[in-house]
């Protein structure tokens, strides 16, 4: 049985991420021309392990896009396909996303630069992580992707707030339905990869 999430003008049933995870999802297009996606996903694990995994940003490219960069029938339907994650060796707060455009424009190897913003609680435990668009030459004008972490009875709750303002040309072609399909693919995939990473680390002696 899948989990229900809200998409513009309809309710759609989507597959569960992995065996016990649940995800809620809602994407809207605001009056200020920003696509906003909100929701929450739960993964098993503890906050210390989560901190260890997320703080090692140089290791992201070895697991974060696992299984999401291979072309398939599903991925070829996406308007944008993430290809790689590159971290500045001199500044771990600077991250570059390499991506391809798939649908209306067929461009390969495009890049978008982001800076990370970390928020810690009084105990030093990571409470939220944001990726903020810092580039200039991209099809993304503005972007902020924030993930808030809490321990719950279901495991670690990851509440996400993803906001993006696309360039004028791209904004003309993207509907809420298309944008939501792209976001749901990656939120489900990334959270599934995070779960696998947490499980792998917990089993390492």
């Amino acid at each position: 049985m899948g989990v229900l999430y809200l998409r513009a003008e309809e309710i759609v049933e989507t597959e569960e991420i992995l065996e016990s995870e649940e995800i809620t999802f809602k994407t809207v297009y605001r009056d200020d021309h920003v696509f906003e996606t909100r929701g929450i996903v739960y993964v098993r694990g503890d906050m210390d392990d989560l901190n260890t995994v997320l703080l090692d940003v140089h290791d992201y490219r070895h697991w974060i896009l696992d299984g999401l960069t291979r072309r398939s029938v599903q991925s070829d339907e996406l308007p944008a396909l993430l290809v790689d994650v590159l971290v500045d060796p001199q500044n771990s707060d600077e991250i570059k996303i390499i991506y391809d455009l798939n649908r209306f424009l067929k461009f390969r190897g495009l890049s978008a630069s982001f800076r990370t913003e970390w928020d810690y609680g009084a105990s030093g435990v990571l409470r939220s992580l944001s990726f903020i668009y810092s580039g200039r030459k991209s099809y993304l004008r503005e972007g902020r992707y924030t993930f808030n972490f809490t321990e719950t009875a279901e495991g670690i709750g990851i509440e996400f707030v993803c906001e993006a303002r696309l360039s004028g040309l791209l904004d003309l072609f993207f509907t809420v339905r298309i944008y939501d399909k792209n976001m749901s693919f990656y939120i489900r995939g990334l959270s599934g990869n995070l779960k696998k990473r947490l499980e792998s680390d917990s089993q390492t002696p």
Side-chain angles (χ1 to χ4, degrees):
M1 179 67 180
V3 179
L4 294 181
Y5 68 92
L6 182 64
R7 191 182 276 180
E9 300 180 353
E10 63 179 328
I11 298 289
V12 180
E13 188 171 9
T14 186
E15 296 178 355
E16 290 182 329
I17 298 169
L18 290 173
E19 183 177 346
S20 63
E21 274 65 40
E22 293 183 351
I23 185 170
T24 59
F25 218 87
K26 182 177 181 180
T27 296
V28 299
Y29 184 69
R30 302 190 324 219
D31 291 340
D32 58 353
H33 305 291
V34 168
F35 287 95
E36 178 186 281
T37 302
R38 289 178 176 266
I40 189 167
V41 61
Y42 297 95
V43 298
R44 289 189 296 271
D46 61 57
M47 295 295 286
D48 287 339
D49 290 341
L50 179 73
N51 276 228
T52 299
V53 169
L54 293 182
L55 286 171
D56 190 3
V57 294
H58 291 286
D59 193 46
Y60 281 8
R61 69 180 315 199
H62 296 134
W63 63 269
I64 202 166
L65 293 180
D66 187 30
L68 302 179
T69 61
R70 293 193 296 269
R71 295 197 174 275
S72 63
V73 173
Q74 184 181 16
S75 67
D76 281 343
E77 293 177 351
L78 300 175
L81 179 66
L82 302 187
V83 176
D84 204 351
V85 176
L86 306 177
V87 180
D88 188 328
Q90 305 300 323
N91 183 357
S92 60
D93 289 336
E94 299 293 332
I95 294 177
K96 185 174 291 186
I97 305 296
I98 309 301
Y99 65 100
D100 296 341
L101 290 183
N102 273 339
R103 290 177 62 106
F104 316 109
L105 301 171
K106 300 282 188 177
F107 293 142
R108 300 286 182 258
L110 302 173
S111 66
S113 298
F114 293 83
R115 62 179 174 84
T116 55
E117 188 173 279
W118 311 78
D119 181 32
Y120 298 91
S123 62
V125 175
L126 183 65
R127 296 191 304 184
S128 72
L129 170 59
S130 297
F131 298 91
I132 304 164
Y133 177 64
S134 59
R136 295 181 180 180
K137 296 180 180 179
S138 173
Y139 291 98
L140 182 64
R141 285 185 175 176
E142 299 175 35
R144 184 183 184 96
Y145 305 87
T146 296
F147 302 88
N148 302 303
F149 312 108
T150 56
E151 280 191 294
T152 71
E154 293 82 4
I156 300 173
I158 305 175
E159 180 185 15
F160 51 89
V161 182
C162 305
E163 300 170 293
R165 189 193 308 272
L166 305 181
S167 68
L169 179 61
L170 214 57
D171 191 54
L172 291 175
F173 292 104
F174 267 78
T175 64
V176 173
R177 186 182 185 88
I178 292 173
Y179 182 86
D180 180 80
K181 186 174 185 177
N182 210 77
M183 288 297 296
S184 65
F185 176 85
Y186 282 109
I187 292 294
R188 287 188 292 126
L190 295 174
S191 57
N193 285 341
L194 176 60
K195 176 186 182 296
K196 289 188 290 184
R197 190 66 175 183
L198 288 171
E199 289 178 343
S200 174
D201 283 8
S202 67
Q203 294 170 3
T204 302

